Amino acid sequence: MDNMDLTCGHFVNPFTDIGFKIIFGQPASKELLITLLNELLAGEHRIENLIFLDKENHSDSMADAGIIYDLYCLTDTGEYIIVEMQNRFHSSFLDRTLFYMCRAIGRQVENLREKRRKERELQTGKPETEEDFLLSEPMQENYGSRYKLSTVYGIFLMNFREPGLEEKFRTDTVIADRESGKVVNPHFRQIFLQFPYFTKELKDCETLYDKLIYTLKNMQHWNRMPDALKEQVFSRLEELAAVANLSLEDRIAYDKALDRYRVSRIVEEDAREAGWKKGLAEGRAEGRAEGLAEGRAEGLAEGQAKEKVAIARNLKSLGLSTAQIVQATGLTEEEVESTVNN
């Protein structure tokens, strides 16, 4: 295990629940989140403002699993954004991300009135009462318009390698025609970020996007921000993410989360080492068995070859022709001539 994994630097670890919340999930860090999202969506969408929504998406029944998003946001232009940080691999992770996306999309239709009220509140900057909203609500719409959806973005930060994705840092998914690649529905977008595949050094990070990703991956080990990170966003991040600046409540919660993170890494490393040792032992045993079998086969083949040579020489001494010896022993004419002459 890399010793850096267990050190506690000046900044919070963004791959812990509380660390992620401190950096991106509080009103004071909204500008940081907007900056990160705009870098991720560069050339596709530009966010000017957003609000945090209730992260808990309640289940419909006792038997139905509810959802608690890490971050759930609504932009000033009506897009919904789910941001999830996953520290460890678990089975069916990609299915879970799909479930999260589908639940957020489905709720748009189910809670149409609440959706519109939140959108209007974000645009005007003023909270509306139910009475205010009803007075401003337009007349009943036609059937089809109620299914008009806002885009849902799912941003998934992953501190592990997902076998179901390609071996690269970023994977973007859309609903598209399988043959042509043309986007069929623009309202479903997922971005998967596998941090173990991000291997750039700071000197190689030329864009703000790369610098942000590099910082998130490495900041837990730093005692100060590197001099190369001069943009204002890093000054804000340095202020928010400093462990020394945490409230007493957040510091207690963070210490507990960091302890869980460390334990999980130790368990994973122990399991990996145990698996490696077991595999090595099994490999050695299999290698010995294969070597013994190959040795026996080689010895048998060599013995058979020597036997054929002896038979060929005896047949030649009895006056048989080369063609007759070839037919009797299975040797080639060249092998017979070479055997007899030697």
Side-chain angles (χ1 to χ4, degrees), residues 34 43 113 162 173 198 208 236 261 302 310:
I34 290 176
R113 178 174 293 177
E162 166 56 53
T173 70
F198 187 86
L208 179 58
R236 183 60 176 150
Y261 174 82
E302 184 177 352

Side-chain angles (χ1 to χ4, degrees), residues 190-205:
Q190 289 180 294
I191 299 175
F192 298 95
L193 304 176
Q194 299 181 87
F195 275 78
Y197 290 117
F198 187 86
T199 57
K200 287 186 177 182
E201 297 296 331
L202 182 55
K203 61 182 176 61
D204 302 317
C205 296

Side-chain angles (χ1 to χ4, degrees), residues 113 117 120 128-137:
R113 178 174 293 177
R117 191 171 68 82
R120 188 168 300 164
E128 288 185 334
T129 65
E130 185 69 13
E131 182 178 356
D132 291 336
F133 176 74
L134 290 175
L135 289 174
S136 59
E137 178 73 347

Side-chain angles (χ1 to χ4, degrees), residues 35-53:
T35 299
L36 175 64
L37 294 176
N38 280 334
E39 290 300 313
L40 289 172
L41 302 176
E44 177 179 353
H45 185 64
R46 180 76 184 175
I47 300 169
E48 297 296 337
N49 193 15
L50 58 75
I51 59 173
F52 294 102
L53 301 177

Side-chain angles (χ1 to χ4, degrees), residues 238-281:
E238 183 174 25
E239 177 185 353
L240 283 172
V243 174
N245 292 343
L246 299 182
S247 67
L248 177 60
E249 181 182 1
D250 282 346
R251 181 58 191 266
I252 293 174
Y254 176 66
D255 287 343
K256 290 181 179 178
L258 187 61
D259 184 62
R260 290 194 298 270
Y261 174 82
R262 290 168 171 170
V263 169
S264 70
R265 295 299 297 272
I266 291 172
V267 170
E268 287 177 0
E269 188 63 26
D270 287 348
R272 190 181 299 114
E273 184 176 353
W276 180 82
K277 289 181 178 179
K278 181 180 179 182
L280 181 63

Side-chain angles (χ1 to χ4, degrees), residues 305-321:
K306 289 181 178 179
E307 183 180 2
K308 287 182 179 181
V309 169
I311 293 173
R313 285 175 177 166
N314 288 335
L315 294 177
K316 189 67 176 178
S317 66
L318 294 175
L320 272 69
S321 67

Side-chain angles (χ1 to χ4, degrees), residues 3 6 24 56 68 89 113 150 164 190 200 217 222 228 237-238 262 268 294 303 310-311 337 340:
N3 290 331
L6 298 182
F24 293 117
E56 185 168 4
I68 299 180
F89 167 81
R113 178 174 293 177
S150 297
Q190 289 180 294
K200 287 186 177 182
K217 181 174 181 178
W222 298 343
L237 179 57
E238 183 174 25
R262 290 168 171 170
E268 287 177 0
E294 289 176 1
I311 293 173
E337 295 296 334
V340 172

